[in-house]
Amino acid sequence: MTQIVASLAEVSGVYRALYCDLWGCLHDGKRAFPEAVEALRAFRARGGTVMLLTNSPRPKPSVLRQLQNLNVPEDCYDEIASSGDAAQHALITGAVGRKVYHLGPEKDDAFFTDFAEDLRPLAESAAPIVKVPLAEAEGIVCTGLFDDLTETPEDYRATLLFAREKGLKLLCANPDIMVDYGHKRIYCAGALAQAYDEMGGQSFYFGKPHPPIYDLARRRLEAIRPGIAAEDILCVGDGIGTDIQGGMSEGLDTLFITGGLASDTFGANGEHLEPARLADWLAQSQLSPTFAISRLR
């Protein structure tokens, strides 16, 4: 039975580390949430370690720059692991070939050049990855829509059908279907990968809820805080099918933020969750997070 809590501090005393989502929990793509920042600061002040675990297709160095632009203070987290990092490892090792078509905006170009410290040696020693037109590609790297403010997956139907006929594999750098950008809900790379799978193509996923990003997070957590066991970690996120499903699949406790992607049901800023409504909604999802809260605070 999911326990509804009023604050992170109410339950965080039994955990030594957090895997905390970004979009919908710590920021909305335009601004940081002050209460969330303070909640993470308080957790660290009690000796906890905060791992920001994000399905962003951006590699860690790029995520760091984005956090700075959003005025997320560095003293509210310790380390970062992104879906982009995990997908980079697969790209470097040839999961979809060496000549690839980049399906995504120019702002994600750093995916091909910007590597975290623990991935840079592998990238420098591997054969180069070359971006080419779709007709020349051995595979696709999907980081998102070219214009996520105006486009939908339907706009890519012809492109994906052509790729399927060529038998191209698609590397999905962000399994999220949608996120909230300010007050607007936009599609992510996961929506295109899902559409590709549904038409008979083959997509590879590396972010939440899939194992590669958790393997990366464990390695990075062990490097800065050795000896933290699974029972010492709490996963925080607003994606029931990503953050919560992923955490549960890894055998970790979870804190579901209802005011993010599920805000249409529960409201974005509600102070009190209705237990019956939450129980009915979770029953439909067939998932049972350990805890639930309206927003991270």
Side-chain angles (χ1 to χ4, degrees):
M1 188 72 179
T2 299
Q3 177 184 344
I4 296 174
V5 298
S7 69
L8 176 64
E10 188 176 327
V11 298
S12 63
V14 299
Y15 300 101
R16 299 172 61 197
L18 298 181
Y19 285 171
C20 184
D21 185 40
L22 289 181
W23 286 74
C25 295
L26 186 54
H27 69 72
D28 64 359
K30 291 188 173 182
R31 65 182 182 91
F33 301 146
E35 286 185 309
V37 168
E38 292 308 316
L40 297 184
R41 278 176 167 162
F43 181 79
R44 294 187 72 234
R46 292 192 294 272
T49 301
V50 175
M51 169 75 69
L52 298 181
L53 194 65
T54 172
N55 269 357
S56 170
R58 302 182 183 197
K60 174 183 169 181
S62 184
V63 173
L64 280 168
R65 291 191 293 271
Q66 182 186 41
L67 293 176
Q68 292 168 355
N69 291 336
L70 293 172
N71 295 316
V72 175
E74 294 182 1
D75 64 353
C76 76
Y77 63 91
D78 297 276
E79 180 58 291
I80 297 169
S82 75
S83 178
D85 292 330
Q88 276 184 328
H89 184 277
L91 175 70
I92 295 166
T93 54
V96 293
R98 316 308 300 186
K99 295 191 294 185
V100 301
Y101 173 67
H102 179 206
L103 178 51
E106 289 185 6
K107 67 181 180 180
D108 291 340
D109 282 350
F111 179 85
F112 298 91
T113 59
D114 211 0
F115 300 94
E117 300 86 348
D118 51 354
L119 289 177
R120 193 173 299 123
L122 179 62
E124 292 174 348
S125 64
I129 300 294
V130 181
K131 291 191 288 182
V132 299
L134 181 59
E136 302 172 20
E138 299 170 345
I140 298 174
V141 173
C142 181
T143 61
L145 288 70
F146 291 121
D147 185 354
D148 53 20
L149 293 178
T150 63
E151 294 179 328
T152 73
E154 186 60 28
D155 294 312
Y156 293 82
R157 181 170 177 79
T159 297
L160 296 177
L161 284 172
F162 179 77
R164 184 200 65 186
E165 293 307 306
K166 283 176 59 70
L168 301 184
K169 297 176 181 177
L170 185 149
L171 185 155
C172 178
N174 175 3
D176 284 347
I177 304 299
M178 305 185 86
V179 294
D180 289 328
Y181 180 65
H183 297 295
K184 183 178 178 62
R185 190 153 289 184
I186 60 176
Y187 285 101
C188 301
L192 297 180
Q194 183 184 67
Y196 194 51
D197 289 338
E198 289 173 351
M199 62 177 59
Q202 184 178 13
S203 301
F204 298 145
Y205 302 88
F206 300 90
K208 298 173 286 186
H210 305 279
I213 193 171
Y214 294 97
D215 294 340
L216 176 64
R218 277 192 291 269
R219 292 196 301 271
R220 290 185 175 172
L221 181 59
E222 181 67 18
I224 61 171
R225 187 83 183 272
I228 293 183
E231 59 266 26
D232 299 323
I233 300 171
L234 178 66
C235 296
V236 181
D238 69 321
I240 193 71
T242 51
D243 306 306
I244 303 307
Q245 181 177 326
M248 293 179 63
S249 296
E250 295 291 319
L252 306 174
D253 286 355
T254 56
L255 171 60
F256 177 43
I257 309 297
T258 64
L261 289 171
S263 61
D264 289 348
T265 299
F266 300 106
N269 298 301
E271 292 296 330
H272 303 287
L273 284 172
E274 297 178 19
R277 176 182 290 187
L278 178 63
D280 288 345
W281 190 86
L282 291 174
Q284 294 177 24
S285 72
Q286 298 184 324
L287 293 170
S288 298
T290 315
F291 308 106
I293 191 172
S294 60
R295 61 184 184 275
L296 183 57
R297 58 177 181 248

